[in-house]
Amino acid sequence: MNRVAVVTGGTRGIGEAISVALKKAGYKVAAVYGGDEAKAKAFTHETGIPAYKVDVSDFKQCQTGLQKIAADLGPIDIVINNAGITRDGTLHKMTAEQWEAVIHTNLSSCFNTCRSVIDSMRERGFGRIVNIGSINGQAGQYGQVNYAAAKSGIHGFTKALAQEGAAKNITVNAIAPGYIDTDMVRAVPPQVLEKIVAKIPVGRLGQASEIARGVLFLVADEAGFITGSTLSINGGQHMY
C-alpha cells in the first residue's frame, strides 16, 4: 500500500498505537512529536517508523514539517490529529497561558495540519482525516474548561470540514475516546481513577489499541461513505 499517513502526537500513548497499527496495515507512516526526543528516538528504533519533530500549534512549523514528510514519503493521504495536552484547573484559577496552550495544541493544530494538506488532497481526489476528540468534549469535565472547549471544537471542526471535502473524496471523521489506559490517565490519583472506572459500564479502562482499530476502519479506502461522523469509544460511559 502506498498511502502515506501522518499521526500527530504519534510516538506515545494513543498516537503510538495508531502509528503502529497503520504500519502493520501496510501504510507508510510518519509520527509527529512535539518535544520528547529521547522517547521519539526509542519509538523509531523499536518500530521503524520515522519521527518528525514539529510544533503542530505553530502554523508555519506545521507547513514546513508536513512538506518535509511529503518530500520524504510521498503525498500525504491520511492525517490523524491526535496531538493533545492538558493544563487542568478550575476557571477561577486558570491562567491565560493554560487556556491558550491547550487551545493551540489541541484545536488549532487541527487547522494547521489540515490546511497544510487540503490543497494536495483536493487535487488528487482523495483524503482521510481523523480527529481525536474526547468524551470530555462531549460531556464536559470539572476542571477542564480549556480541554473540553478544545475537544468540543474538534467535533464541530470535523463536521464542517467533512462538508467541504465530501465532493473531492476527502472524508473527515472524529473519534471520541473515553478513559484509555495511557500515562496521562494513569497519572490520575488512584482514588479518583477508581471512581472513574466505576462509572464505565464495561468496568475497565480502554486500550489504546481499541482506538487504533477505530482509526483503521475510518481511513480505509472503502470507508468513503462515512464522513462527518463521531465514533465514540468509551465503554458505554457516555452515549451521545
Side-chain angles (χ1 to χ4, degrees), residues 2-238:
N2 293 320
R3 298 287 188 205
V4 175
V6 173
V7 184
T8 70
T11 63
R12 59 193 307 169
I14 291 173
E16 179 177 4
I18 294 170
S19 296
V20 170
L22 286 167
K23 184 185 179 185
K24 287 182 178 179
Y27 296 91
K28 291 194 288 185
V29 182
V32 169
Y33 71 100
D36 193 337
E37 293 194 24
K39 170 60 180 173
K41 288 180 180 178
F43 165 84
T44 297
H45 178 74
E46 293 168 6
T47 66
I49 299 171
Y52 294 79
K53 186 175 183 179
V54 180
D55 179 359
V56 292
S57 71
D58 183 280
F59 180 68
K60 290 185 178 179
Q61 271 202 47
C62 208
Q63 274 195 316
T64 301
L66 294 187
Q67 286 170 359
K68 170 64 173 169
I69 292 170
D72 290 348
L73 302 182
I76 296 167
D77 303 293
I78 297 163
V79 172
I80 313 300
N81 283 307
N82 170 72
I85 61 172
T86 56
R87 298 289 185 271
D88 294 351
T90 51
L91 182 64
H92 68 281
K93 295 181 180 179
M94 184 174 290
T95 66
E97 289 75 19
Q98 288 174 305
W99 170 267
E100 291 168 1
V102 170
I103 295 297
H104 290 318
T105 300
N106 298 19
L107 178 58
S108 296
S109 60
C110 293
F111 168 82
N112 295 341
T113 57
C114 290
R115 184 64 186 88
S116 297
V117 301
I118 197 69
D119 289 340
S120 175
M121 287 181 174
R122 288 174 61 84
E123 288 170 7
R124 289 179 290 110
F126 183 87
R128 296 286 184 266
I129 296 168
V130 179
N131 303 314
I132 306 301
S134 171
I135 187 175
N136 291 344
Q138 297 172 315
Q141 180 60 268
Y142 184 93
Q144 284 196 326
V145 293
N146 48 5
Y147 187 83
K151 292 299 188 177
S152 181
I154 284 173
H155 296 305
F157 176 92
T158 297
K159 293 176 183 179
L161 185 57
Q163 295 179 52
E164 295 180 15
K168 295 292 186 179
N169 193 29
I170 301 167
T171 66
V172 189
N173 293 288
I175 290 178
Y179 286 87
I180 307 301
D181 191 2
T182 62
D183 290 343
M184 182 184 294
V185 171
R186 286 293 176 186
V188 173
Q191 65 274 19
V192 176
L193 188 58
E194 185 177 335
K195 292 179 181 179
I196 290 172
V197 172
K199 294 180 180 179
I200 302 173
V202 301
R204 63 174 176 85
L205 296 174
Q207 296 300 309
S209 60
E210 293 175 300
I211 307 303
R213 184 175 178 85
V215 169
L216 288 178
F217 172 68
L218 292 172
V219 302
D221 282 19
E222 298 82 1
F225 204 59
I226 305 168
T227 195
S229 294
T230 297
L231 176 59
S232 295
I233 306 177
N234 60 34
Q237 185 177 0
H238 181 67

